[in-house]
Amino acid sequence: MSTPLLTEAELADALATLPGWASSGDTLTRSVDADSFLAGIELVRAVAEVAEATDHHPDIDIRWRTITFALSTHSAGGLTELDLALAREIDRLAPRFAGGDVPNE
């Protein structure tokens, strides 16, 4: 059984509660400026642990202290609740590694 795609309304409602995230086509993205390069790597590691536990893996781009996460449910062909859940987990983890770059809700 596949995970259903989000409707435009569901996505809009979710983005209202996910500051810093943007959608483009079938992808949610957010960049985080970590406190240091090593803090960024530790953030990636923490997200990787969540991704492995949930079997839902983001695309991750590391540019010095800037970590960009791109989320999409490839098996469903777009955005699903799995992506929203992972975005929320990234937002929960980010303050430990990027104290100065966490958007306020």
Side-chain angles (χ1 to χ4, degrees):
M1 177 173 12
S2 69
T3 304
L5 293 174
L6 297 172
T7 66
E8 290 294 322
E10 290 170 330
L11 180 58
D13 288 346
L15 284 173
T17 67
L18 291 167
W21 288 91
S23 69
S24 176
D26 63 355
T27 304
L28 280 181
T29 59
R30 176 179 178 208
S31 293
V32 175
D33 287 331
D35 294 333
S36 67
F37 179 74
L38 288 177
I41 297 301
E42 289 303 315
L43 172 58
V44 168
R45 180 174 175 72
V47 170
E49 289 178 9
V50 171
E52 278 295 294
T54 60
D55 194 30
H56 190 64
H57 303 87
D59 292 332
I60 303 171
D61 181 69
I62 303 167
R63 307 288 170 129
W64 186 43
R65 293 176 36 235
T66 302
I67 314 302
T68 301
F69 298 96
L71 312 179
S72 186
T73 304
H74 303 291
S75 61
L79 295 168
T80 69
E81 183 58 43
L82 294 171
D83 302 300
L84 299 179
L86 186 53
R88 290 182 193 104
E89 281 299 303
I90 291 169
D91 284 352
R92 183 184 66 78
L93 293 166
R96 293 186 357 212
F97 307 97
D101 185 48
V102 179
N104 296 322
E105 292 188 48

